[in-house]
Amino acid sequence: MKSKLKLRIFAETWPIRGSFAISRGSRTTAEVVVVELQDGPHIGRGESVPYARYNETVEGVVADIERHQSDFTQDLSIDDLQHLMPPGAARKAVDCALWDLGAKRQGRPVWQLAGLPEPQPVTTAFTISLGAPEVMETAARNAVNYPLLKVKLGCGTASGDADRIAAVRRGAPQARLIVDANEAWSLDDLQSLAPSLASSGVALVEQPLPAGQDEALAGLTFAVPLCADESCHGTASLDHIIGRYQMVNIKLNKTGGLTE
């Protein structure tokens, strides 16, 4: 009989400085599900943030993991997990815990286990939450030392979003800007906004249209590259976005972990 990995699941709540606002709403905390898998002296740790956009809750993610607890044997492989659980926050937490556990068992970093080059420093984006133009300009001024700003748009009229991006550019004239509409625009909005986004030096626009309406982008070109988020989860959805988007926002919650 195979012995079991010891499973521990718990939730953490982390306060957000101020609030985090996008077109779908705002929040002041991050709700995190943490998974620990223990094999003797080795403990692998993974976590995920359940995403309401995909009908995920902390309670639901915990229940999904607990439902498969009997399958967590000492020789549960990462490949086995991909068939055991669907992509999403639950599998992501377990998948990352298995990678961490494997690294600790072998005394090697995860990048070596994956056969990848050693990670190098990268520039990450500081987010400017959605708000009134003057509020976003002040936030940009306060973030002037960050070289890359991700600007949340997608509330009200297209002209309102044009005012917002212009305000952020005034507040942070030297920063690289990327824009995330979180599915809130129509094709008309995107077409009317693209020239002003380009003139403000925006490097990309993330998920302008609702997922499922991507066919409207086929054959069109814009002054700013488009990046798929909600429209692309894993490798199975790549074919669908070819010719419609130029980039993909890879999120481990969407893919169900590091493996995918």
Side-chain angles (χ1 to χ4, degrees), residues 82 86-89 91-92 95 232-235 249-260:
Q82 311 313 302
R91 191 178 81 184
K92 185 257 188 173
D95 184 83
C232 185
H233 291 242
T235 53
N249 183 350
I250 301 172
K251 293 179 177 175
L252 299 192
N253 262 25
K254 291 190 302 179
T255 67
L258 288 162
T259 304
E260 173 70 12

Side-chain angles (χ1 to χ4, degrees), residues 101-113:
L101 180 62
K104 289 172 177 172
R105 281 168 167 169
Q106 296 191 34
R108 302 166 61 203
V110 166
W111 62 267
Q112 286 186 359
L113 296 186

Side-chain angles (χ1 to χ4, degrees), residues 19-42:
S19 65
F20 183 80
I22 64 173
S23 60
R24 286 190 288 268
S26 63
R27 54 193 173 98
T28 57
T29 60
E31 308 298 324
V32 179
V33 174
V34 180
V35 168
E36 290 182 350
L37 294 173
Q38 183 172 2
D39 175 17
H42 305 296

Side-chain angles (χ1 to χ4, degrees), residues 177-190:
L177 301 182
I178 56 179
V179 160
D180 186 2
N182 286 110
E183 304 182 274
W185 291 344
S186 67
L187 181 60
D188 287 344
D189 290 333
L190 174 59

Side-chain angles (χ1 to χ4, degrees), residues 6-234:
K6 183 178 179 181
L7 171 69
R8 181 173 178 239
I9 314 170
F10 55 96
E12 296 178 341
T13 299
W14 292 89
I16 295 171
R17 185 175 64 185
S19 65
F20 183 80
I22 64 173
S23 60
R24 286 190 288 268
S26 63
R27 54 193 173 98
T28 57
T29 60
E31 308 298 324
V32 179
V33 174
V34 180
V35 168
E36 290 182 350
L37 294 173
Q38 183 172 2
D39 175 17
H42 305 296
I43 299 176
R45 189 179 189 276
E47 63 180 41
S48 63
V49 177
Y51 197 16
R53 168 65 176 77
Y54 304 122
N55 300 313
E56 293 175 336
T57 64
V58 168
E59 296 77 15
V61 168
V62 170
D64 286 344
I65 297 169
E66 289 178 335
R67 190 175 301 117
H68 295 283
Q69 184 170 357
S70 62
D71 298 301
F72 293 169
T73 64
Q74 281 189 323
D75 60 355
L76 174 70
S77 73
I78 290 170
D79 289 337
D80 291 338
L81 179 67
Q82 311 313 302
H83 302 289
L84 187 65
M85 302 177 73
R91 191 178 81 184
K92 185 257 188 173
V94 178
D95 184 83
C96 291
L98 282 173
W99 276 104
D100 190 36
L101 180 62
K104 289 172 177 172
R105 281 168 167 169
Q106 296 191 34
R108 302 166 61 203
V110 166
W111 62 267
Q112 286 186 359
L113 296 186
L116 298 173
E118 183 175 3
Q120 301 300 313
V122 296
T123 299
T124 60
F126 182 85
T127 298
I128 304 296
S129 288
L130 181 63
E134 60 272 17
V135 173
M136 296 179 73
E137 181 175 351
T138 298
R141 292 188 189 279
N142 292 337
V144 70
N145 291 326
Y146 293 96
L148 178 61
L149 300 180
K150 182 173 184 175
V151 184
K152 294 290 185 176
L153 298 179
C155 183
T157 63
S159 61
D161 278 340
D163 291 340
R164 290 182 179 94
I165 198 64
V168 170
R169 176 50 80 201
R170 287 194 301 271
Q174 304 302 319
R176 286 185 67 214
L177 301 182
I178 56 179
V179 160
D180 186 2
N182 286 110
E183 304 182 274
W185 291 344
S186 67
L187 181 60
D188 287 344
D189 290 333
L190 174 59
Q191 290 175 320
S192 65
L193 281 166
S196 62
L197 297 177
S199 66
S200 292
V202 172
L204 68 86
V205 176
E206 185 178 329
Q207 198 63 45
L209 308 186
Q213 297 183 18
D214 311 287
E215 64 276 2
L217 301 172
L220 300 180
T221 58
F222 298 91
V224 181
L226 304 185
C227 176
D229 182 359
E230 286 86 353
S231 291
C232 185
H233 291 242

